[in-house]
Amino acid sequence: MELEDILRERDFRLTRPRRVVWEVLSESERHLSAAEIAEEVHRRDPGINVSSVYRTLALLAELDLVRESRLTETSTWEPAHADAVIHLVCENCGATRHHDAALVEDLRAEIARTADFAPSVIDVRVSGTCAKCPAPSTPR
Amino acid sequence: MELEDILRERDFRLTRPRRVVWEVLSESERHLSAAEIAEEVHRRDPGINVSSVYRTLALLAELDLVRESRLTETSTWEPAHADAVIHLVCENCGATRHHDAALVEDLRAEIARTADFAPSVIDVRVSGTCAKCPAPSTPR
DNA sequence: AATGTATTGCGAACGGTTTGCAAGAGGGCG
DNA sequence: CGCCCTCTTGCAAACCGTTCGCAATACATT
Ligand SMILES: [Mn+2]
Ligand SMILES: [Mn+2]
Ligand SMILES: [Zn+2]
Ligand SMILES: [Zn+2]
């Protein structure tokens, strides 16, 4: 379903900031910070303000179109994806990769079965060292 | 090993702020925000400043004595615990619970084996609805 | 007790995000 | 097609958790 339809369905207007922010996000291969998004948005339309970027991100997250990650002190954003796609964050170079871990769904089932808790979103963040970076001197 | 020994071992001094912050953390049953820690610390010694609380938290994290969680926009802190102790955060009442999920170690092994990445810390955050709260109207 | 240095308290700065408000634009309806 | 109502925006100021610089303090060693 198109962005326009999803918005209309909930009585939101399709505006220029919303369209451009969504385009930037969906064309990107990686997580983007609000500043990076604003920068690229501004490149495509200098008239669009940072606060509209923030407001749009909040809306798109509400609509489950984008996923916000709090991997470090500043949030990053990307089009929503399944929980089984987890994040590997290199402690050395900072790169964030995706990794598909089917075990996440087993984990969900196990929680639902034994934890007296109804899980919705599961966020798995793995820090460590990526292949391109040297192993840390004091491995854990 | 005592806090004092761990500090000495690395040539850090055992100071009043460090002792009180550590006491507050280790006596608490739950995750505390820096503000909550500062409040309780201040109750025990009004002379201790917030910035010392922050500096101490950073140091204790460095020493792997405490774990910082970025579950929401503000960080929370608690004595360090194993990765297999995961966090269940209720979307309704905000309560954070611990749940022991042995599958986390399977996940670690799977990543190490297939992802070309050396995992150190694995952080699993599950949002959902706790037993005390009504199920959401639109369950996922 | 005196000394040298790590650490603190304080207040100001920082940086990402949010907010209030008047101006502007989406889109339903005539 | 153009009007009008309302939602949305741009802007600038406020916010808020956290960090920083610096002179004063207090550990720990002698
Ligand atoms: Mn992702
Ligand atoms: Mn915990
Ligand atoms: Zn790396
Ligand atoms: Zn609850």
Side-chain angles (χ1 to χ4, degrees):
Chain A
M1 192 155 55
E2 290 303 314
L3 174 63
E4 176 164 11
D5 303 318
I6 295 175
L7 290 174
R8 293 183 92 108
E9 196 172 331
R10 302 250 219 137
D11 282 327
F12 292 112
R13 296 180 181 173
L14 177 60
T15 65
R16 200 155 160 63
R18 286 171 184 167
R19 182 151 19 82
V20 178
V21 167
W22 176 244
E23 281 171 14
V24 168
L25 276 172
S26 32
E27 290 168 16
S28 168
E29 300 290 304
R30 56 187 193 83
H31 291 209
L32 297 175
S33 67
E36 290 171 318
I37 296 168
E39 190 185 350
E40 179 58 28
V41 163
H42 197 262
R43 200 169 289 133
R44 302 184 185 196
D45 182 343
I48 299 176
N49 194 270
V50 204
S51 52
S52 296
V53 171
Y54 278 104
R55 286 187 279 230
T56 298
L57 291 173
L59 177 63
L60 296 180
E62 189 62 33
L63 298 174
D64 286 321
L65 287 173
V66 309
R67 168 185 281 238
E68 177 180 9
S69 296
R70 303 177 188 277
L71 301 178
T72 70
E73 58 261 18
T74 72
S75 289
T76 56
W77 310 78
E78 63 176 329
H81 60 64
D83 291 351
V85 178
I86 69 177
H87 295 123
L88 311 182
V89 184
C90 180
E91 290 166 345
N92 186 254
C93 66
T96 298
R97 279 183 39 209
H98 283 160
H99 174 74
D100 205 311
L103 274 173
V104 172
E105 290 311 319
D106 298 349
L107 184 58
R108 183 194 308 281
E110 193 267 343
I111 293 167
R113 191 166 51 78
T114 67
D116 215 14
F117 186 91
S120 59
V121 176
I122 300 184
D123 232 317
V124 177
R125 176 257 174 93
V126 182
S127 44
T129 311
C130 76
K132 293 177 194 144
C133 289
S137 50
T138 314
R140 306 182 188 221
Chain B
M1 191 154 57
E2 290 303 315
L3 174 62
E4 175 164 12
D5 304 316
I6 295 176
L7 290 173
R8 294 183 92 108
E9 197 172 329
R10 303 250 220 136
D11 282 326
F12 292 111
R13 296 179 180 174
L14 177 59
T15 65
R16 201 158 159 58
R18 287 171 183 167
R19 181 152 19 81
V20 178
V21 166
W22 176 244
E23 280 170 14
V24 168
L25 275 171
S26 34
E27 290 169 15
S28 168
E29 299 292 305
R30 56 187 192 81
H31 292 210
L32 297 175
S33 67
E36 290 172 317
I37 296 168
E39 190 185 352
E40 179 57 30
V41 164
H42 198 259
R43 199 169 289 133
R44 302 183 186 195
D45 182 342
I48 298 177
N49 193 270
V50 204
S51 52
S52 296
V53 171
Y54 278 103
R55 286 187 277 231
T56 298
L57 290 173
L59 176 63
L60 296 180
E62 189 63 33
L63 298 174
D64 285 322
L65 287 172
V66 307
R67 169 185 280 240
E68 177 180 9
S69 296
R70 302 177 189 275
L71 300 178
T72 69
E73 57 260 18
T74 72
S75 288
T76 56
W77 309 78
E78 63 176 328
H81 60 64
D83 291 350
V85 178
I86 68 178
H87 296 123
L88 311 182
V89 184
C90 179
E91 290 166 346
N92 185 254
C93 67
T96 298
R97 278 182 42 207
H98 283 160
H99 174 74
D100 204 310
L103 274 174
V104 172
E105 290 310 321
D106 298 349
L107 184 57
R108 182 194 309 279
E110 193 268 341
I111 293 166
R113 190 166 51 79
T114 68
D116 215 14
F117 187 92
S120 60
V121 177
I122 300 183
D123 232 317
V124 177
R125 174 258 175 93
V126 182
S127 43
T129 311
C130 76
K132 293 179 193 141
C133 288
S137 50
T138 313
R140 307 183 190 223

